[in-house]
Amino acid sequence: MASKDDVQHDRKQSVLENWFRLHLRGASISSEFIASVGTVLISIFSMIATANLISHSITNGSQLLPTLLTLVFLVSGILSIAAGLISKLPLVFIGSLGINQFISVNVINALSLDWGYGFAVLILENIIWIVLSFTRFPTWCTEQLPAQFKQLSLVTLGGIFFVFGIFSGKVVQFNANQEVISYTLRSTETFIFCIVFIITFVLHQLKVKGAYVYGFLLALFLGMYIPKVPDRVFNQGYFWILVLMLVVWMIVYATLVDYRKKNALDISMIVLLLGLMIGLIWTRNPGAIIPLPSKWIGQQGFIGRPRFQNLGSVIGYPIFSFPSMLKEFSKLIRPLISLFLVHWVTFIGFMEVLPEYVSFRKKDQETYFKKYAFFQEGVMGLVGNHTGTGMNSSVYGSVIAWLNGAKTGLSSVFTGIGFLGLLFFIPFLRTSFTAFSVGPVMAVIGAQMILKVLQTYTEDKNIWVAILIALLVGGLTLNFYQGVLSGMLVYGVDKLIHGKTNEINAYFWILMVIALVFSFIRVNIPYLPIVNF
């Protein structure tokens, strides 16, 4: 006879199963939890960078930064939980780096405006989204898109993630003295990047569920061990410690395989990561790539309480600035058009990619796209901008969630809870969760997306040139909008040359004309920034 605890446990599982339709989408509570862990870890850098970008656009931003960091994690957590419960889809809302960078640099700083004006523009854009969501315009746009838009969206996202990972991993860098510096394996950053990239890629190819989690933690811990100066790596024995750890890992894995243990790779990776983490207790390398906090408790250490001291100076200020922004509207028309166009094209591309990773019944997919998607994006962005945390979009965070294997809104709920839990670890996150720690995983994610396109979409040979152009332009500019539209333009010209214009509808050419006109008059286009605070 089942115990009372077992009955209650089964009842809770049944509620989650029915609400999120776990079985229908091939998910389980454990798989959704693992996906949420990867989503949280990879999203942390973006959230910290968002708070830094906003603080740089405020006069006394350094004083407000602790409060901004607290609000970013708090708002992202609440919005992600709400999105998961309402939509029942793996949607994660975090700060949009590209849009927030555009507002901070190209609007607030370039036009010498108060930071409230910039975020008031975002609020206006959110209102436009909400109004349009009640019309047929969003549905018409998605229905008129050519089938090739999905392929170009996937490969452009892959190119952006891959190049971002290369830059973040210090494989290629820009500086003021030389245009490009290409490092060899003699650079400790590049050496660790290559090791973590290979291990993560292999784990993912072997379908290990937590592959991205293992890759991220491996880069994080190794970065805390290995010094930046190559001579110190060899002279002080750090290189041989690293080799010894890898040998021990392979021995543990081989032993588990011999004993036919299930999940041998998972167990061996956990043993390796635990060994690295325990070793950090005794090893304190002041010259490490990623510094380890010297104090465990306090605002400069590992753990610290959330900071709400300057809450009144942040929350509501964009709304308060809205009337003043309208007086300066003549200066903000072009940025608003740019913002809307880029956000619109990016979000449509995001929706086209969604069915590739999340199983949908056709009816559910059409209902979500036609009734809720655009409205939800506008409302969630409005909430984020009102709180002074910048543009909160479902694009980047959700893509990361899907790539980590999230299938339902339960993963979003777990992710949101994770963001809220991290409110007490912000001092450690600011110090250690740099772009370097996420670089190898981002590069693997990008490579996997590119390979998916190359392996799956082979029926239309005419699109290969467009795919290559979208990959190059998207990767080199780190701009989804320009990558996708460049690929579409090349595809359209190819059809025009071969006399197959009947295969392309009027909406396609309208979108191309709008994009070219805006580029010609040099309307500012948001870029994803390469930042490492």
Side-chain angles (χ1 to χ4, degrees), residues 188-189 223 225-230 232-233 236 238 285 287-289:
T188 54
E189 289 101 331
Y225 273 102
I226 306 301
K228 296 178 182 178
V229 182
R232 293 188 62 193
V233 175
Q236 298 187 15
Y238 288 102
N285 183 4
I289 299 169

Side-chain angles (χ1 to χ4, degrees), residues 99-345:
I99 293 178
N100 287 320
Q101 188 263 356
F102 170 67
I103 289 295
S104 299
V105 177
N106 298 68
V107 176
I108 297 173
N109 293 340
L111 301 178
S112 299
L113 296 174
D114 183 78
W115 74 279
Y117 289 25
F119 290 104
V121 171
L122 286 176
I123 289 175
L124 179 59
E125 194 251 4
N126 296 144
I127 294 172
I128 295 172
W129 270 67
I130 294 171
V131 172
L132 288 176
S133 69
F134 290 98
T135 69
R136 287 202 74 257
F137 182 68
T139 305
W140 181 78
C141 287
T142 54
E143 290 175 347
Q144 295 299 317
L145 280 174
Q148 293 74 24
F149 191 84
K150 179 189 293 185
Q151 303 163 34
L152 297 174
S153 297
L154 274 170
V155 78
T156 303
L157 276 174
I160 290 173
F161 286 149
F162 183 78
V163 174
F164 184 83
I166 293 293
F167 278 110
S168 301
K170 307 291 182 69
V171 178
V172 177
Q173 281 190 321
F174 291 94
N175 69 8
N177 299 322
Q178 295 173 289
E179 292 182 358
V180 179
I181 298 179
S182 296
Y183 285 111
T184 66
L185 289 179
R186 288 174 292 180
S187 164
T188 54
E189 289 101 331
T190 305
F191 181 66
I192 291 177
F193 175 90
C194 291
I195 289 178
V196 177
F197 178 89
I198 293 170
I199 292 176
T200 307
F201 187 87
V202 171
L203 290 176
H204 187 271
Q205 290 296 102
L206 294 174
K207 301 185 184 304
V208 176
K209 289 183 178 179
Y212 295 144
V213 176
Y214 297 142
F216 177 87
L217 293 176
L218 192 59
L220 180 67
F221 292 151
L222 290 179
M224 292 179 179
Y225 273 102
I226 306 301
K228 296 178 182 178
V229 182
D231 291 341
R232 293 188 62 193
V233 175
F234 294 96
N235 295 339
Q236 298 187 15
Y238 288 102
F239 174 79
W240 301 112
I241 293 174
L242 176 61
V243 172
L244 178 62
M245 289 179 178
L246 293 176
V247 170
V248 171
W249 170 54
M250 289 187 285
I251 292 173
V252 171
Y253 172 66
T255 303
L256 292 171
V257 171
D258 289 341
Y259 282 93
R260 298 181 180 180
K261 293 289 185 181
K262 292 183 179 180
N263 303 320
L265 268 174
D266 291 273
I267 297 173
S268 62
M269 283 301 304
I270 291 172
V271 170
L272 174 63
L273 293 171
L274 285 175
L276 288 171
M277 188 167 60
I278 293 171
L280 288 173
I281 298 175
W282 292 283
T283 303
R284 298 296 173 91
N285 183 4
I289 299 169
I290 300 176
L292 185 68
S294 58
K295 298 179 181 179
W296 287 87
I297 299 177
Q299 291 307 320
Q300 301 300 319
F302 192 91
I303 301 173
R305 59 182 175 80
R307 303 288 290 273
F308 295 103
Q309 286 86 338
N310 299 300
L311 211 60
S313 302
V314 179
I315 291 183
Y317 187 68
I319 288 289
F320 177 79
S321 305
F322 198 84
S324 301
M325 179 273 295
L326 294 177
K327 296 178 182 179
E328 301 283 345
F329 192 66
S330 59
K331 297 181 180 179
L332 299 168
I333 293 177
R334 287 170 57 182
L336 177 62
I337 294 173
S338 301
L339 179 65
F340 177 80
L341 181 62
V342 174
H343 192 184
W344 193 263
V345 172

Side-chain angles (χ1 to χ4, degrees), residues 25 89 354-355 358-365 368-369:
R25 295 204 174 117
L89 295 173
L354 175 60
V358 181
S359 58
F360 267 110
R361 289 186 303 183
K362 186 176 181 181
K363 184 178 179 181
D364 292 339
Q365 179 180 347
Y368 172 68
F369 285 175

Side-chain angles (χ1 to χ4, degrees), residues 148 460 462-463 489-504 508-509:
Q148 293 74 24
D460 187 359
N462 294 325
I463 201 174
L489 181 62
V490 169
Y491 185 77
V493 170
D494 179 77
K495 291 294 183 183
L496 190 64
I497 293 174
H498 290 88
K500 299 180 180 180
T501 53
N502 60 315
E503 298 180 11
I504 301 177
F508 176 91
W509 294 113

